[in-house]
Amino acid sequence: MAAPRVDNAPSRREQILRTAAGLFARHGFHGVSIAELGAAVGISGPALYRHFPGKEALLAELLVDISERLLAGGRERATGEPDEVLAALVDFQLDFALHEPELIVVQDRDLDNLPEADRRRVRRLQRTYVEIWVDTLRRLHPGLDPDAARVAAHGTFGLLNSTPHSGSRAAPDEVAGLLRRMALTALTAL
Amino acid sequence: MAAPRVDNAPSRREQILRTAAGLFARHGFHGVSIAELGAAVGISGPALYRHFPGKEALLAELLVDISERLLAGGRERATGEPDEVLAALVDFQLDFALHEPELIVVQDRDLDNLPEADRRRVRRLQRTYVEIWVDTLRRLHPGLDPDAARVAAHGTFGLLNSTPHSGSRAAPDEVAGLLRRMALTALTAL
DNA sequence: GCCGGGAGTTAGCGGACGTTAACCCGGACA
DNA sequence: TGTCCGGGTTAACGTCCGCTAACTCCCGGC
């Protein structure tokens, strides 16, 4: 009975997750109460426990889902000529950052509010995703130091993920084009 | 039992601020209790109120100080040929990010845990700092759209500030060199 | 027409946290 | 030498929060 219902539209659950992402992004995990979250989806307080075993579990589901989606997206684009792979990875990460900025924010803000087990799992997923970037960069620039590649990858994430912070009201595709160009240009400096 | 006051020893206040920065960076503002913070500096709990009127005031002092230092550093380097100014700004921001990663983290993680007044003040300082970058970029690339310049500036911050997230144990000056090169290269893509 | 269970409600518990109160103590100095 | 006072202590208060309990209601299947 505790088995997850794999129905095709548990809309409440998803609504809660989406709303939680927004609130956590704005106020931080500890800055959002169960009651507030409930109110934000139109139910109140303890009703959330009909859908999630607890607040931490909710955060865990959010973060695991994000990192799994990033990893899956990365894997889909990992094969081929390194320059094309890199371009695809940049576009993918950029798309994610532009379309779901809350998730980007939550992921690096509240990672350590997770219980140990989930945190380790998320870290593992993230590390694997980064390794795709590292491998691609090293295929493109043979002899590049792995640590340097890792620094470059994280730097590129910072660049591409900067849109949530800049709160730019400029036209989204111009922002996208600019950041893509900056990222690809930066990565020629290796 | 109080240690004899050595002149250049950091005062209690400073010790508290420094320690708070580290703890806030690791666990977030709401994730650190007054008692924990007190314990971390060797006193316990309410003694902090001898030095600060409250927890929020402590955070405010941290954040205002950070953004004032950034702005001051930016202003010092703002005059001269735009390419040289830009290089100096990159080096400055990079230095800050490498030497005080906790402050970088706290600044964009806990900004909205500030009381209104302080938050507005910090935002203002930050905006002014960004404008130095924007002006420099537009002097370097005449006709560059101001919004685009702003996006580019924030992107560069993201790139340069990525070191706290990457937790790289690579040699610091190699990291610095790599990120500086990436940033300056990226900014040629405008 | 019953009835079983998913989904919601309010009441309440226990613990943590920020803050205040009341007290203490050691040293600088008139 | 007596007195202030800065900086520390512990106790306690009030609030908020996560979570549980107990109850209600709607609705689909037999």
Side-chain angles (χ1 to χ4, degrees), chain A residues 3-15:
Chain A
R5 278 182 40 196
V6 202
D7 282 1
N8 51 351
S11 77
R12 251 296 132 84
R13 260 186 85 89
E14 301 236 347
Q15 184 195 10

Side-chain angles (χ1 to χ4, degrees), chain B residues 12 44 46-47 50-51:
Chain B
R12 255 290 131 88
S44 245
R50 298 290 165 193
H51 304 276

Side-chain angles (χ1 to χ4, degrees), chain A residues 116-168:
Chain A
E116 257 289 311
D118 300 288
R119 181 168 53 236
R120 281 227 304 270
R121 180 159 170 220
V122 170
R123 282 241 170 81
R124 210 177 127 84
L125 290 166
Q126 290 180 340
R127 215 168 37 234
T128 310
Y129 177 61
V130 174
E131 286 317 303
I132 295 178
W133 281 72
V134 168
D135 291 347
T136 305
L137 287 174
R138 295 187 66 213
R139 279 204 292 144
L140 196 59
H141 301 96
L144 178 64
D145 183 276
D147 280 337
R150 209 159 287 121
V151 169
H154 280 284
T156 308
F157 296 157
L159 169 60
L160 295 175
N161 293 346
S162 67
T163 35
H165 304 295
S166 68
S168 73

Side-chain angles (χ1 to χ4, degrees), chain A residues 74-142:
Chain A
R75 281 198 166 129
E76 278 176 24
R77 292 160 177 80
T79 63
E81 289 309 304
D83 55 340
E84 292 170 7
V85 171
L86 190 62
L89 288 176
V90 166
D91 280 341
F92 171 63
Q93 179 72 35
L94 190 50
D95 230 56
F96 202 97
L98 286 171
H99 288 75
E100 321 201 58
E102 334 82 34
L103 299 188
I104 292 290
V105 170
V106 173
Q107 183 168 52
D108 76 20
R109 177 194 240 182
D110 285 317
L111 178 57
D112 26 37
N113 292 124
L114 281 185
E116 257 289 311
D118 300 288
R119 181 168 53 236
R120 281 227 304 270
R121 180 159 170 220
V122 170
R123 282 241 170 81
R124 210 177 127 84
L125 290 166
Q126 290 180 340
R127 215 168 37 234
T128 310
Y129 177 61
V130 174
E131 286 317 303
I132 295 178
W133 281 72
V134 168
D135 291 347
T136 305
L137 287 174
R138 295 187 66 213
R139 279 204 292 144
L140 196 59
H141 301 96

Side-chain angles (χ1 to χ4, degrees), chain B residues 100-120:
Chain B
E100 322 201 56
E102 334 82 35
L103 300 188
I104 293 288
V105 170
V106 172
Q107 183 168 50
D108 75 21
R109 177 195 241 181
D110 286 317
L111 177 57
D112 26 37
N113 291 125
L114 281 185
E116 258 288 311
D118 300 288
R119 180 168 55 237
R120 281 228 304 270

